[in-house]
Amino acid sequence: MFGINTPELILIVVLAVLVIGPTRLPGYLEQLKNLIREVRKMASGARETIKEEAGVDIDDIDWKKYDPRQYDPRRIIREALLDDEDVEKLNSLKMAPTAAIASMMGKDELKSKDNSEALAGSAVPAGPEIERLAEGQRAPFDAEAT
C-alpha cells in the first residue's frame, strides 16, 4: 500500500493523533468516513455506468485475454510469415523448435538421437569457430575501440 509497511503506518497514525489532538480528532475521523463513503459511491457509480454504456459486467470480462504479457513478438512474426498449415504444424508438433522448423522445410524427421545433432547443425548455420586463448595469455586490446 503506497510502499508503506505496517510499522510505518502505525507511526504515521500515532503522529497524526498527537498532532491533531483529542479535541479535533472526532471531526477529522468524521471527514475521513465521509471521504471513504464518497469514494465508494463514485466507484460503484463508475461500475454502473460501464455496465449501462458497454453492456458488459466487469466481473464477466476475461481480463487474461487483454494481458499484454501473452503477446510474444517472435510468435506473432513467425505466424505472419508462415502459411496457415505451417502454423498448425508448428503448434501441433511436440518436439524441439529446430526439428519442427526442419520438418516444415521438407527435411526428414528425426529417427534417432544421433541424427538430431546432425539435423540441428543443418537447420541453423554454424557461426565462425571460436579460438580459445591459452592459459595465462592476455586478451588482445584495441586502444582505438575504447
Side-chain angles (χ1 to χ4, degrees), residues 18-61:
L18 291 175
V19 169
I20 293 173
T23 57
R24 293 184 291 176
L25 187 62
Y28 282 112
L29 289 177
E30 187 69 28
Q31 288 178 356
L32 179 65
K33 183 176 76 171
N34 291 337
L35 176 71
I36 291 173
R37 187 177 294 140
E38 287 297 318
V39 169
R40 284 185 181 171
K41 194 181 295 183
M42 287 175 20
S44 66
R47 180 182 293 258
E48 290 173 12
T49 304
I50 289 173
K51 192 185 294 185
E52 289 172 5
E53 292 180 3
V56 177
D57 190 15
I58 292 177
D59 297 331
D60 295 338
I61 296 174

Side-chain angles (χ1 to χ4, degrees), residues 2-4 11 22 25 44 47 49 53 72 83 95 107 112 131-132 141:
F2 308 115
I4 299 175
L11 181 66
L25 187 62
S44 66
R47 180 182 293 258
T49 304
E53 292 180 3
D72 180 19
D83 295 331
M95 59 178 70
K107 306 232 183 209
S112 69
E131 293 181 33
R132 302 284 179 194
F141 180 75

Side-chain angles (χ1 to χ4, degrees), residues 6 21 37 71:
T6 307
R37 187 177 294 140
Y71 299 110

Side-chain angles (χ1 to χ4, degrees), residues 6-137:
T6 307
E8 291 173 348
L9 184 64
I10 291 172
L11 181 66
I12 290 172
V13 169
V14 168
L15 286 175
V17 168
L18 291 175
V19 169
I20 293 173
T23 57
R24 293 184 291 176
L25 187 62
Y28 282 112
L29 289 177
E30 187 69 28
Q31 288 178 356
L32 179 65
K33 183 176 76 171
N34 291 337
L35 176 71
I36 291 173
R37 187 177 294 140
E38 287 297 318
V39 169
R40 284 185 181 171
K41 194 181 295 183
M42 287 175 20
S44 66
R47 180 182 293 258
E48 290 173 12
T49 304
I50 289 173
K51 192 185 294 185
E52 289 172 5
E53 292 180 3
V56 177
D57 190 15
I58 292 177
D59 297 331
D60 295 338
I61 296 174
D62 182 20
W63 293 106
K64 290 183 181 179
K65 187 168 73 172
Y66 301 113
D67 186 9
R69 293 175 290 184
Q70 72 177 344
Y71 299 110
D72 180 19
R74 294 170 293 187
R75 180 186 53 84
I76 293 170
I77 292 170
R78 182 178 57 235
E79 289 176 359
L81 294 176
L82 296 175
D83 295 331
D84 290 335
E85 64 184 42
D86 290 339
V87 172
E88 290 173 11
K89 242 189 230 182
L90 186 64
N91 290 337
S92 66
L93 291 174
K94 300 292 183 188
M95 59 178 70
T98 54
I101 292 170
S103 69
M104 284 188 294
M105 295 173 75
K107 306 232 183 209
D108 292 333
E109 290 193 25
L110 303 176
K111 300 210 176 59
S112 69
K113 290 183 180 180
D114 297 335
N115 240 357
S116 65
E117 292 176 8
L119 181 60
S122 65
V124 179
E129 190 163 328
I130 299 172
E131 293 181 33
R132 302 284 179 194
L133 297 175
E135 191 172 329
Q137 183 181 1

